[in-house]
Amino acid sequence: MSSDARTRAYYPALNALGLIIMIFGLLMSFPLVVSAWLGDGATLAYDQGLFVTFVAGLLLWAATRSKRRDLRVHDGFLLVAATWVVLPVFGSLPLMAYIPELGFTDAYFEAVSGLTATGATVLSGLDELPISINLWRTFMHWVGGMGVIVLVVAILPLLGIGGRQLYKAEVPTPMKDSSLTPRIAETAKGLWLTYVLLTIACGFSLWWVGLAPWDAVIHAFSVTGLGGFSNRDASLGHFDSVGVELVTIGFALLAGLNYATHYLALVRRSSAPYRRDPEIPFYFGVLALSTAMLTVYLLAQGVFTDVGEALRYVAFHVVSISTSLGLATHDYTLWPMFAQIWILFLGSFVACSGSTGGGIKMMRAMILYKQVFREIVRSLHPNAVRPVRMGRNPVPENILHAVLGFSFMYMVSIVSLTLVLSAAGLELVTAFSAVVACLNNTGPGLGLVGPASNYQALGDFHKWVLCFAMILGRLEIFTFLVVLTPTFWRR
């Protein structure tokens, strides 16, 4: 195939990307209207960002519209990967326009962190930024939390573009062939309806316990998207409110569950989907056990002397880091290293599949545990037939192999990227925790990137490596790596 023909083969994906960019540009009208209403001085930044984004998407769409067709598997992978690489470029435009001293690397890092719902920030002086700028940062969390692609999948069928390949490439779950409704667009709409209702409930709850209206809106986007951006340099600790922390814990726990389970419970008006979800007992069990263990440990180490105070800070940070929310109320890097590593480790697997959280997901962790147990039994009883089950259903062998492959690449990614950052001059604790925090889309790490600081101290090269880690983690590794292989580009 000639180079021109090969290029034209990717026109359908590029055409759909043009539509996604235009839709993303229109999303900027939300903070634009807020900025104009409040008169916060950032209106021009959104005018410029919206115009450039929409025109760029329109030009790409117009240049490729002659080759439109239904998307195939290759197109789906390319479109998803391109979307998460390209959209942060446009998401960074209002930030650079309003903060002239913000370079492209920092602005792109902030936008990647926003759209991947990571919450690793390079900005300081958040309390002085206009409301609309902080709103845009957390609104990117909210859009990226459920997934830009899942949102667009609900719209693309109206434009004559199939969405199943996009949904399978984007949705964060190891069992991607299942859908809640026969039509994939209906599935996406159902998930988004659940997401919107949960966000509204979170916002009103935060307002009810004492947050100002815009603080409540901004943090509702952050909490339900499990992102971690705040409009305060001290994060949620700025408010020093037990009520705010309890509401945040409650909604972070809900956001860390599978949205398919929420949706089924909503439409059936029944709690049965929660009782049948095999991840939920492990999810709450690990969180409860970790909270109790760390509370006792920190009291024994003399970090806290009051049980209530210890439970308050431990419970909040165990839930926040485990679900990959990343908001903080206390500098947990002052705790003994065991406690720091433990909560960082929890962020690697606790969030449920189909949630807005990061990490390998609880379902994969359960499958890995059961597979290890099965191999131990096989060592003792070679002829025993013991299938791995999730609930009452046996897990197909192809999913077992996929989970094992994913887990291997997850560990390889952590080791490789940590070595790259270490070779680039970053000390080991900061390098390792930054990679883990970004790959898990958690946000704060340890060392220089702990909750009391941010990622501004890192060099540009470090930030680009971590941008790669954030996108890699958000797309669950294989979706992104597939596009980087030479085989993908052979037709």
Side-chain angles (χ1 to χ4, degrees), residues 1-10 72 489-491:
M1 183 183 290
S2 67
S3 59
D4 288 342
R6 187 176 293 110
T7 301
R8 286 194 298 271
Y10 300 114
R72 299 168 183 167
W489 299 98
R490 298 193 191 108
R491 284 285 181 173

Side-chain angles (χ1 to χ4, degrees), residues 457-469:
L458 305 188
D460 285 355
F461 177 76
H462 303 144
K463 292 168 187 171
W464 283 109
V465 171
L466 294 175
C467 283
F468 176 78

Side-chain angles (χ1 to χ4, degrees), residues 30-81:
F30 174 46
L32 170 61
V33 170
V34 171
S35 179
W37 179 31
L38 298 177
D40 64 6
T43 308
L44 182 59
Y46 294 110
D47 285 337
Q48 295 171 348
L50 195 159
F51 176 77
V52 171
T53 303
F54 189 84
V55 170
L58 180 62
L59 292 175
L60 180 60
W61 175 81
T64 55
R65 66 189 300 253
S66 62
K67 298 295 181 181
R68 286 177 57 190
R69 57 165 166 76
D70 199 23
L71 296 176
R72 299 168 183 167
V73 174
H74 266 64
D75 302 320
F77 279 108
L78 178 60
L79 178 55
V80 168

Side-chain angles (χ1 to χ4, degrees), residues 181-250:
T181 60
R183 294 177 59 84
I184 204 71
E186 294 302 317
T187 296
K189 290 174 185 175
L191 293 175
W192 268 96
L193 172 63
T194 308
Y195 193 43
V196 169
L197 291 176
L198 190 65
T199 305
I200 292 172
C202 181
F204 273 109
S205 298
L206 289 171
W207 172 70
W208 182 69
V209 294
L211 288 193
W214 283 115
D215 287 332
V217 171
I218 287 169
H219 286 93
F221 285 146
S222 187
V223 172
T224 51
L226 291 179
F229 279 160
S230 175
N231 60 338
R232 308 292 179 178
D233 283 327
S235 190
L236 216 61
H238 170 88
F239 304 103
D240 192 23
S241 167
V242 174
V244 170
E245 291 164 24
L246 289 175
V247 168
T248 301
I249 288 173

Side-chain angles (χ1 to χ4, degrees), residues 362-434:
M362 180 60 75
M363 182 176 288
R364 287 195 182 95
M366 292 167 63
I367 290 173
L368 285 172
Y369 163 74
K370 294 183 178 186
Q371 173 66 7
V372 168
F373 187 76
R374 182 171 74 163
E375 292 304 316
I376 292 174
V377 172
R378 279 180 171 176
S379 298
L380 298 173
H381 307 285
N383 297 323
V385 177
R386 189 184 181 92
V388 173
R389 294 181 181 275
M390 290 296 291
R392 299 178 180 177
N393 301 316
V395 178
E397 288 295 320
N398 66 315
I399 290 181
L400 280 176
H401 296 156
V403 169
L404 291 172
F406 174 88
S407 303
F408 174 74
M409 287 307 304
Y410 174 81
M411 291 184 289
V412 168
S413 299
I414 290 177
V415 173
S416 301
L417 295 177
T418 299
L419 290 174
V420 169
L421 291 183
S422 297
L426 210 55
E427 55 91 13
L428 185 59
V429 171
T430 299
F432 172 74
S433 66

